[in-house]
């Protein structure tokens, strides 16, 4: 098993340890059910949602600790408590959701923008066939905010499924001290302890579910939270890792998967004339989802480095990572890959930034690789109800660093928006591979794809004006180095300098286009 980039042997479970786990699960389940069943006095309305029509709740600490005396797991003065509760309608039935939560791969697949890694360590009880009642697992999980400036959160958790009645389940997560983290002094990982958290899933007659989610976490932000993300992460609403984010992401992903299986009419395209069949559309959406997962994964910036010599100031905010991908890495091109990412604040509402970046006609204003040529949209189709939720095929006349452009390159782009944020992600693809996809070939995991793009969210500050507040924008680029298997350091540094210049130039162009060039 690979955890934290280090191999560990799966530790056998002793009977005494199983008994402790079982007791931990029972107590956590009892606590979560009580937290789900009441509002006041255990929950109070957050004072951070001035203009929101949705009621957002946080735990009232004094009331909670009178009922559940709390043991402090992180014995450090800077440890914080985050709590939140949120409900929403999800277009999947209860058993589908239960199956997803109890399968680590499916769980990471439906929450790619939150869960960077999920691994089942032990299945202590698979539960009853058909309902999974009684199932509980020991899992390892890493969570992230999609910015290189924010460290990962790592958990070992016990996950338990209990069916309360027909069509009603509770999924409980609680941290378990399975092993002392070997990466304890690694500043790239934030220490966190999950108090009883999880969700209640209620089946509805229309094939949907009502889901109520609770997040309750004790966290030590080892390195001080970056100033750009302080309000989003440390504010009263717990927007960054809170219950609302889980629910909104689940709603968006279930909508997206629902659109993927809809049997719609063929989509016309301008790639030599013709149409994309329903099966081709499904294959293209599957490849696009792989692209989103891959892009989300790089933003943890494993092995990230700062290169202050590449900037006029020592702290440019750009993080760079160099990695080698091989044939054993599905969906990635073979060779050395340089990734760079940065985050910045934009004094415009998130939707305005999203609309600018997704607009094909505006791309020439910020894409430094466009070679002064406009981008052409070959085809596009919806993967959600919002008009901004699209998968598109684009033709760009790129000047690719380290790659000779033979005009045989197209681009896949996915734009996606929900109430908490948005993204615009794209990747070059050669025409033979694209034709393979749009003719219905299910080979998304074999097609090498190297995504770049943008993540946009609100800044977490209370908006008392109704203007939408400011935005946090993350920009990330990747380039493949066409080099020998063991490239020399000079070539690597040349590539790092190129991608650093690429991302810096793009940021400056975006600022100029949005009339905020004077921002530091």
């Amino acid at each position: 098993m690979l955890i934290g980039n280090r191999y560990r042997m799966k530790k056998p479970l002793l009977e005494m340890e199983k008994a402790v786990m079982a007791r931990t699960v029972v107590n956590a389940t009892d606590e979560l059910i009580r937290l789900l069943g009441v509002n006041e006095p255990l929950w109070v309305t957050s004072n951070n949602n001035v203009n929101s029509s949705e009621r957002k709740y946080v735990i009232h600490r004094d009331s909670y600790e009178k009922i559940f005396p709390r043991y402090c797991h992180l014995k450090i003065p800077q440890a914080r408590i985050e709590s939140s509760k949120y409900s929403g309608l999800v277009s999947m039935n209860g058993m589908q959701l239960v199956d997803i939560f109890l399968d680590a791969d499916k769980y990471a697949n439906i929450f790619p923008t939150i869960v960077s890694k999920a691994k089942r360590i032990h299945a202590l009880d698979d539960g009853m066939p058909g309902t999974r009642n009684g199932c509980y697992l020991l899992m390892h999980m890493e969570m992230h905010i999609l910015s290189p400036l924010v460290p990962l959160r790592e958990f070992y958790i016990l996950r338990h499924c209990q069916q309360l009645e027909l069509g009603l389940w509770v999924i409980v997560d609680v941290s378990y001290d399975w092993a002392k983290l070997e990466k304890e002094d690694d500043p790239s990982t934030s220490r966190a302890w999950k108090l009883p958290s999880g969700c209640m899933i209620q089946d509805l007659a229309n094939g949907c579910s009502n889901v109520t989610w609770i997040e309750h976490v004790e966290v030590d932000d080892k390195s001080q939270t970056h100033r750009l993300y302080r309000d989003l992460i440390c504010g009263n609403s717990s927007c960054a890792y809170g219950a609302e984010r889980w629910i909104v992401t689940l709603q968006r992903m279930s909508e997206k998967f629902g659109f993927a299986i809809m049997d719609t009419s063929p989509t016309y395209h301008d790639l030599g004339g013709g149409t994309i069949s329903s099966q081709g559309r499904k294959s293209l959406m599957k490849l696009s989802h792989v692209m989103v997962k891959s892009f989300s994964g790089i933003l943890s910036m494993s092995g990230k480095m700062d290169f202050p010599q590449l900037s006029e100031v020592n702290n440019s905010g750009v993080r760079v990572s160099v990695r080698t991908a091989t044939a054993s890495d599905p969906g990635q091109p073979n060779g050395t890959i340089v990734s760079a990412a940065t985050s910045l604040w934009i004094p415009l509402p998130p939707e305005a930034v999203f609309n600018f970046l997704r607009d094909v006609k505006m791309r020439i204003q910020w894409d430094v690789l466009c070679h002064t040529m406009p981008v052409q949209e070959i085809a596009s189709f919806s993967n959600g109800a919002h008009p901004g939720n699209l998968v598109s095929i684009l033709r760009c006349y790129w000047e690719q660093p380290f790659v000779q452009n033979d005009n045989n390159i197209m681009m896949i782009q996915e734009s996606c928006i929900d109430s908490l944020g948005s993204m615009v992600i794209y990747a070059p693809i050669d025409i033979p591979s694209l034709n393979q996809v749009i003719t219905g070939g299910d080979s998304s995991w074999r097609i090498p794809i190297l995504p770049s793009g943008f993540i946009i969210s609100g800044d977490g500050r209370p908006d008392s004006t109704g203007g939408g507040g400011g935005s946090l924008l993350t920009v990330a680029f990747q380039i493949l180095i066409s080099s020998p298997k063991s490239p020399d350091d000079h070539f690597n540094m040349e590539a790092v300098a190129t991608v650093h210049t690429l991302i810096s130039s793009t940021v400056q162009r975006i600022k100029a286009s949005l009339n905020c060039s004077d921002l530091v």
Side-chain angles (χ1 to χ4, degrees), residues 205-276:
N206 59 359
C208 298
S209 303
N210 188 64
V211 181
T212 301
W213 201 291
I214 286 176
E215 281 294 304
H216 194 192
V217 178
E218 185 178 349
V219 62
D220 164 29
D221 297 314
K222 295 182 110 174
S223 51
Q224 187 179 14
T225 302
H226 194 281
R227 60 179 178 80
L228 286 179
Y229 286 84
R230 202 166 294 151
D231 292 303
L232 192 67
I233 294 174
C234 305
N236 290 334
S237 62
S238 301
C239 290
Y241 290 104
E244 183 181 9
R245 186 179 176 210
W246 290 93
I247 290 288
V248 168
T249 303
L250 186 59
Q251 289 173 324
R252 170 65 195 122
M253 295 304 291
S254 61
E255 177 191 48
K256 178 178 174 179
F257 294 156
F259 268 71
I261 62 175
M262 288 172 59
D263 188 15
T264 61
S265 58
T267 301
Y268 291 92
H269 67 80
D270 295 330
L271 188 61
T275 61
I276 302 174

Side-chain angles (χ1 to χ4, degrees), residues 333-345:
N334 198 1
T336 301
I337 298 168
V338 179
S339 307
T342 190
S343 296
L344 64 151
W345 182 75

